[in-house]
Amino acid sequence: RLVMRVTATGEETALAHIIAAVQRAQSSRASIQRLGDRVSNVFVPIVVGIAILAGLWWGLAPESAQQVHGWIAQFLPWHAQVFDNPLAAAFITAAAVLIIACPCAMGLATPAAIMAGANAASRRGILIRDGVALEKAGEVTAVIFDKTGTLTMGKPEVAAIGAPNSSSACFESVAIRADQKIGAPHALAATLARHSTHPISQAVAKLSAVDVQISDWQEIRGSGVSANIQYPTSNIQHPTSKAQLGALRWLKESGVDFSGAEKFVAEWSGQGATIVGLAVEKSLLGLFAVKDTVKPGAAKVIEQLHRQRLKSFLVTGDNSLTAMSIAKQLGLKPENVFAEVRPEQKAEFVKKLQQQGERVAFVGDGINDAPALEQADLGIAVSRASDVARESADIILLKSEIEAVPESLGLARATLRTIKQNLFWAFFYNALGVPLAALGFMSPILCAAAMGVSDIVVIGNALRLSRWRSSD
């Protein structure tokens, strides 16, 4: 017997969202395309006017037109036949101008490149929301990384436990053994952490399977968890006490005394561990050093971004010692590391960089990253990101590896460069072809062939993106 629950219908599945995003990217209009449209709106009436003037010139003043034609012909490598009949010359010249100036190449310049770029990105596991996002990605100057789950594996484990030494009143590391996982502080910390989905909480929750009776449990975003407990131990004087498990900054703000914990915090923070404290009624009962492994390719990603002349920043809620240790492993500059940043402050940090003239891309995966992803000029969400983060992002990496970040930005810049090349050649072609047609050097048949060639050049240049390879 197989029981199934439908959680998403056909239009709501991940595959349907991917298909919709690719189609949206292909059909969207970037601002640079609107620039081409505005130019075309002016270009068309000007060309019509030139065609009328050229026809009148060849029809009403054929001698003057032929004289100018003959003078210019001596500088050109080919000779064009001129009709002796002024009326025929007028109509043929006007038709040639209209044909050669057909703005097909300008109309194709941007959508062809966007379609090719979006398809090339999707084949690499990079989902671009629309053409505007593709254009924004090509203009990025700074990239901000969230730490947990983005630069790190997102699977932290408790590496050490700090317990108070009765003789010295200092917190010392104790070994994590199976027989100690039922100890009172371990059980209390695990119980408090068990109801949270945060990766650090889940790591602490594995310390013990014992449940402690708690009530009024609540999670303070970016800080920790708290609850009321009835926990009969010699360390607790009150039958009902408030227990807190979370960031040291939050516990200090709550008035918890950290005397004797400095050595343990400094030792493990210097090794890149996140320190979590357990306190009951403002008394510190234990410290937990939670370590998360840096992704193997993270340092290479930072190096590639530096080679692309992009600034890289790390923002994290960890203390400065932990953040600097992670930054050292990644090759980040100390001045580009910002620690003890609350989730709601990430968007403010993005805004601060934008006010300094930076075009900011934010890379994150959690619900807390959604405001920053929305505030950034370009939001990038990794594959295991929450639904909220995905909806806020402009680019979704279908592969969890962040190696796709420099690749996506490089491909976006290549697409933007291709759009500009297409627009340049389209305008250059018309700027050169219209005068030649007006002076009688190009017949309508030659103009039609040249117009087709210009379209082929623009499309062929866009299709080069399908074979694009990163040089980094």
Side-chain angles (χ1 to χ4, degrees):
R1 180 169 178 262
L2 179 65
V3 179
M4 301 180 65
R5 174 180 294 174
V6 178
T7 58
T9 58
E11 295 181 354
E12 298 174 352
T13 60
L15 179 59
H17 284 301
I18 292 172
I19 294 173
V22 173
Q23 292 176 341
R24 185 169 57 243
Q26 292 176 345
S27 61
S28 60
R29 297 166 63 85
S31 60
I32 194 170
Q33 182 177 356
R34 290 191 287 270
L35 172 62
D37 293 342
R38 289 196 298 269
V39 173
S40 297
N41 291 337
V42 177
F43 176 77
V44 170
I46 290 178
V47 167
V48 173
I50 293 175
I52 294 174
L53 292 176
L56 293 175
W57 184 36
W58 281 92
L60 300 178
E63 297 83 3
S64 172
Q66 290 181 6
Q67 184 179 3
V68 174
H69 175 89
W71 180 78
I72 297 178
Q74 60 183 330
F75 300 104
L76 297 178
W78 76 91
H79 177 70
Q81 181 181 0
V82 178
F83 287 88
D84 294 331
N85 189 323
L87 183 61
F91 275 104
I92 290 175
T93 302
V97 171
L98 292 176
I99 294 173
I100 195 69
C102 183
C104 294
M106 284 187 286
L108 290 171
T110 301
I114 289 178
M115 181 176 293
N119 288 343
S122 63
R123 285 196 296 270
R124 291 168 167 81
I126 302 168
L127 188 60
I128 300 175
R129 187 173 295 276
D130 51 33
V132 177
L134 191 63
E135 183 180 4
K136 291 190 298 183
E139 299 173 346
V140 165
T141 60
V143 182
I144 304 175
F145 289 93
D146 179 50
K147 182 180 76 70
T148 304
T150 303
L151 290 173
T152 61
M153 298 298 292
K155 298 178 180 178
E157 295 182 353
V158 177
I161 298 175
N165 188 311
S166 57
S167 59
S168 62
C170 292
F171 281 76
E172 296 180 351
S173 298
V174 296
I176 304 176
R177 300 194 306 269
D179 59 344
Q180 288 185 323
K181 292 187 178 182
I182 59 174
H186 306 74
L188 175 57
T191 301
L192 291 172
R194 193 168 294 125
H195 302 283
S196 172
T197 59
H198 195 282
I200 293 179
S201 297
Q202 292 299 304
V204 176
K206 297 177 182 177
L207 290 175
S208 175
V210 176
D211 278 326
V212 178
Q213 293 297 323
I214 61 173
S215 61
D216 299 326
W217 183 92
Q218 62 176 337
E219 185 169 13
I220 296 85
R221 188 177 66 170
S223 298
V225 296
S226 66
N228 292 327
I229 60 171
Q230 291 183 342
Y231 196 60
T233 68
S234 57
N235 293 333
I236 303 175
Q237 300 176 358
H238 305 285
T240 302
S241 305
K242 181 179 180 180
Q244 294 174 283
L245 176 73
L248 304 188
R249 165 187 44 79
W250 174 56
L251 296 178
K252 289 178 181 178
E253 293 173 355
S254 302
V256 176
D257 183 16
F258 276 82
S259 300
E262 296 83 0
K263 182 180 178 181
F264 180 90
V265 172
E267 177 186 354
W268 285 99
S269 295
Q271 298 181 33
T274 300
I275 310 301
V276 178
L278 171 66
V280 175
E281 294 296 336
K282 299 186 178 9
S283 297
L284 188 64
L285 294 187
L287 294 169
F288 305 89
V290 184
K291 291 194 70 174
D292 195 0
T293 306
V294 174
K295 288 184 177 179
K300 184 179 179 181
V301 168
I302 301 299
E303 182 183 354
Q304 289 177 332
L305 293 175
H306 289 168
R307 286 205 297 265
Q308 294 180 11
R309 297 182 180 179
L310 297 175
K311 301 175 183 176
S312 300
F313 296 84
L314 171 64
V315 57
T316 176
D318 287 333
N319 62 67
S320 57
L321 288 175
T322 301
M324 288 302 174
S325 175
I326 297 294
K328 186 177 180 181
Q329 299 178 48
L330 296 171
L332 283 170
K333 297 179 181 178
E335 59 268 23
N336 289 358
V337 179
F338 295 86
E340 299 185 15
V341 178
R342 296 176 183 270
E344 62 272 14
Q345 293 176 329
K346 293 180 181 178
E348 297 177 5
F349 174 69
V350 172
K351 192 183 226 179
K352 180 180 177 182
L353 283 182
Q354 289 172 330
Q355 292 172 348
Q356 296 174 5
E358 302 288 353
R359 304 282 292 180
V360 180
F362 187 92
V363 186
D365 69 331
I367 295 177
N368 294 337
D369 298 328
L373 288 167
E374 190 69 35
Q375 175 63 42
D377 298 288
L378 181 75
I380 302 177
V382 297
S383 66
R384 290 178 295 181
S386 64
D387 291 340
V388 176
R390 289 191 179 202
E391 286 299 320
S392 303
D394 299 296
I395 295 179
I396 301 173
L397 306 181
L398 300 182
K399 301 175 183 177
S400 60
E401 293 79 4
I402 57 172
E403 284 85 348
V405 172
E407 185 178 22
S408 61
L409 296 178
L411 179 57
R413 280 196 301 274
T415 303
L416 193 59
R417 186 166 57 248
T418 300
I419 292 174
K420 293 178 179 178
Q421 290 172 354
N422 285 349
L423 290 174
F424 169 78
W425 286 113
F427 290 134
F428 177 79
Y429 156 82
N430 284 285
L432 181 63
V434 169
L436 290 176
L439 292 169
F441 289 101
M442 299 184 72
S443 67
I445 296 177
L446 182 59
C447 289
M451 182 191 68
V453 170
S454 70
D455 294 342
I456 293 174
V457 169
V458 167
I459 295 174
N461 189 42
L463 291 178
R464 289 191 307 113
L465 290 170
S466 62
R467 299 188 302 273
W468 178 86
R469 291 291 181 272
S470 176
S471 58
D472 294 323

